[in-house]
Amino acid sequence: MGEHEEYGVARQRFDVADAAPLLLDPQGVVTGWTGEAGRLLAYPAAEAVGRKLADLLTAEDAQRVPDLVERCHRDGGWTGLLTVRRRDGQPVRVAVRITSAEEGHGGARWLALLSELADAPGWDMSRTVLERMVSEAPVGIAIVDTDLRFVWSNAALEQFGGGPPARRLGLRLADIQPGLDAQAVEAQMRHVLETGEPVVGYEHVGHVLSAPLRETAHMLSFTRLEDDRGHPMGVYYTVVDITERHRARQRLALLDRANENIGRSLDLTRTAQELADVAVPGLADLVTVDLLETVLRGAELTPGPLVDTDRVALRRAGHRATEECVPEAVIGIGEVTTYPAGSPPIRCLTTGRPWHAERLDPLDRVWVTDAPGGRRPTFSELGLHSVMIVPVRARGTTLGITTFFRRHGREPFDEQDLRLAEDLVSRAAVCVDNARRYTRERNAALVLQRSLLPHRLPEQDAVEAAACYRPADELTGLGGDWYDLIPLSGARVALVVGEVPGHGIDAAAAMGQLRTAVRTLAAQDLPPEEVLAHLDDLVARSAREEGAEPGAAGSAGTQCVGAGCLYVVYDPVDGGCSMAAAGHPAPAVVLPDGSVTFVDLPQGPPLGVGGPPFEAVELSLVEGSTLALHTDGLLARGETWAVDAGRERLRRALDGAGPLEARCRNVVDALVPARPYDDVALLMARTKRLGTEQVAAWDLDPDPALVADARRTATRQLARWGLDELAFTTELVVSELVTNAIRHATGPIRLRLIRERALVCEVLDSGATAPHLRHPRTTDEGGRGLLLVAQLTQRWGTRFVPDGKIIWAEQSLTELAGLPVAALLE
């Protein structure tokens, strides 16, 4: 069966209302022409009558005419599709129905009805079919006149409110659905009436009378209806319920906001507050987040839900309410929240499962037992009527609970809301647990930091010192920069600033190794260039032993490769200052008049990379000068920065007065951004001088007979200083040290006493051999001198100087010595 036959069989009726009729004789010749046929094919009657039907068709369909004539005679008619050719040659697709038209005298003629399809299948459907389709469609359909009053609507529109079609007639939208924002909808209708432009996909969100608490969403489309002259007759519009799609979009938007706004920091309380902020008002009117105290401390938790025997300590970590929902009983952030045993919050904590109630008993009181004022209001008093409680669980561990409330006037929570809340809280729970783990690690890191950096700078009289440290790693609070102040013999101090490449715990551990090594080398009283040389050898040897290339990531030993260090020694007796640098910026010097200069210090290579030997410079500082030792992070402004520009900024920042500690902080605040590009350490030291009354020195000849004179001279000096209690011990120390110098060295000898926080006794000789402490047997006649010195003094040692060596010993002035020598000799 061909296409046209199928079309003909499928059609049961043919609507003649819009068809163009014409008459054919039994041979298919046009014998009657109408105006409708003329308008369709553009032929005047004079040209059309007498022509064969085949002449009006395309060549392909013209070949089918004999078959059509035969079928008409056989079947009494034919229905199908043909393509006619207009007078101007343009083809037109038409639906054709041919029926018999018997004349009174018995002659046979055929009536042909032509209906233009106009590339739109379905225009040839009967009006009955179209009306049935519109009336029985599940989509709400209505027609309003130019006054926006209903003239027709289908039955499906009733589901959107407003009653049956008969009740709508003559009324406007606001008359039948007062809860709807009719003004906005009618504004769309007026726009369509005025412009003729259709509006498709207009979304309207609101409430209907059938569900006043439920927010609904509808999609409307509007089309203007016109008469034959193009004048507007009204508006035809359709309505589709898209509430579920609208709610799905809202849920996805809420989850998107949660992904963007929750977990932006690793602060526990802030993360909990972000959860509450995201959920209000999109999901709830009131949200509270309570976390276990152990979570807020960052402590490790036992996996799995809590048990009934656990003592639950909760603290309020987040709270948010709409402006219309301001409960009287609000627990402040950080305050303890106590829930009675068996209450829904405790059940959710112990079971690890969520719970919700669509309708709360209005007479029930809030579960919090420690509400402000001691009074527990009812849910009705607070205007709350629906609740969800979702445990905050991550990685199998319960961290707390999140409670969601809705006020009267909103629909109760349903299962979809509970699933959304679970999804929301589960995402936030991972962020909360990450913050908890970070808090735990950061606490451990801060303990490490306190053990690596000085708790406070040691007390001494050589300099007034202050330090400031700011790491670039805001997560751990640790970096590879360090500073130190080390008291040395002879009232001197060593000032140290250094930096290890990288940030975080690895860099901090490497820094701790270097700092320990520097303090060990400083105890040997080595000059700055030798301290750095030994430190350089230590770093290079550690890297070789660990089998790593310089600069490679790995253990603390390899992390030290490429580190920088500045080592400064200041002597308050004469103001002498010596320093050396290993790949580190030179310090600034602020003179008492406020002028700022930078030391011309030769730059040695970074530690462990090899290169030329380290060089030291010597300078003399007037009293009141301030040394500013810093790491390069103080001047950094990104990956590249100019040294001269950085020094100029530092020069301006150092131009100020006031307490040294405040100046130190001000310099860092002025030069370092809130999130520094690199770790920053700044050590400022204002130099002091020991007065002439605090130092006494004598040149001695290398004659054993003068040892007694040296003892008497030292005793007289102690009497002038009011230190008679130390006379006996000092005489023994002077006697031993001077005798040792006369016996083992040549050339002049110099005795010096320094009264600072300790009494220092120094003996300078030209010898190059350091004495060693011996432990003699009871039968030995000698060898007990240095043993007595070590026992009677606080500390002793040897340091080498260009002229020879100095053997020194210190006695505490806070714990005056007076031990009986006989007891030591037993």
Side-chain angles (χ1 to χ4, degrees), residues 4-266:
H4 300 285
E5 288 86 350
E6 293 179 359
Y7 184 86
V9 171
R11 297 198 46 181
Q12 301 299 321
R13 299 182 57 191
F14 193 99
D15 188 4
V16 299
D18 299 317
L22 55 94
L23 291 176
L24 302 173
D25 67 9
Q27 286 73 39
V29 176
V30 177
T31 59
W33 196 253
T34 61
E36 289 81 359
R39 284 191 293 271
L40 177 63
L41 299 179
Y43 283 100
E47 295 184 15
V49 174
R51 302 187 65 171
K52 294 182 179 181
L53 177 62
D55 296 337
L56 301 177
L57 302 177
T58 60
E60 179 181 358
D61 283 351
Q63 298 177 1
R64 301 172 56 204
V65 171
D67 181 62
L68 296 181
V69 172
E70 181 181 349
R71 292 191 60 179
C72 287
H73 287 290
R74 185 183 69 229
D75 302 330
W78 178 86
T79 301
L81 300 177
L82 293 175
T83 302
V84 299
R85 189 175 298 280
R86 292 170 53 89
R87 190 168 184 265
D88 56 7
Q90 292 296 322
V92 178
R93 191 73 164 166
V94 296
V96 181
R97 183 177 181 185
I98 302 176
T99 61
S100 175
E102 295 293 340
E103 293 185 343
H105 53 76
R109 287 199 300 176
W110 302 98
L111 173 64
L113 301 175
L114 282 64
S115 179
E116 184 179 5
L117 297 180
D119 297 327
W123 275 105
D124 57 330
M125 293 184 181
S126 68
R127 185 173 294 119
T128 302
V129 173
L130 293 175
E131 288 182 356
R132 182 177 300 171
M133 290 173 58
V134 172
S135 300
E136 298 179 1
V139 177
I141 303 175
I143 298 176
V144 296
D145 60 16
T146 53
D147 292 329
L148 307 185
R149 298 182 181 277
F150 284 94
V151 297
W152 180 87
S153 63
N154 68 347
L157 192 65
E158 186 177 352
Q159 65 180 304
F160 303 103
R167 189 182 301 173
R168 296 173 181 270
L169 294 177
L171 300 178
R172 292 176 55 168
L173 193 60
D175 300 328
I176 61 173
Q177 290 182 281
L180 201 66
D181 185 6
Q183 186 175 0
V185 177
E186 290 187 346
Q188 298 296 322
M189 296 180 183
R190 290 193 181 92
H191 173 77
V192 173
L193 280 174
E194 294 169 2
T195 65
E197 300 174 355
V199 173
V200 180
Y202 170 74
E203 293 189 14
H204 179 270
V205 179
H207 297 81
V208 296
L209 292 178
S210 58
L213 300 182
R214 177 181 172 84
E215 186 178 68
T216 59
H218 301 120
M219 179 185 293
L220 298 90
S221 296
F222 304 90
T223 304
R224 187 171 77 176
L225 297 177
E226 301 174 349
D227 59 17
D228 292 341
R229 292 181 240 176
H231 296 158
M233 299 171 54
V235 174
Y236 162 87
Y237 75 90
T238 60
V239 186
V240 178
D241 190 336
I242 59 168
T243 300
E244 291 305 318
R245 185 170 70 181
H246 172 70
R247 296 188 69 181
R249 284 204 307 260
Q250 285 183 318
R251 289 192 291 269
L252 290 176
L254 184 63
L255 293 176
D256 286 341
R257 289 198 301 272
N259 289 334
E260 294 175 2
N261 298 314
I262 298 177
R264 291 178 294 179
S265 72
L266 288 174

Side-chain angles (χ1 to χ4, degrees), residues 489-490 492 525 752 762 797-801 804-806 808:
S489 64
R492 300 168 306 135
D525 266 327
R752 185 169 73 167
E762 296 182 343
T798 304
R799 71 174 182 271
F800 291 90
V801 294
K805 70 175 182 296
I806 294 175
W808 55 270

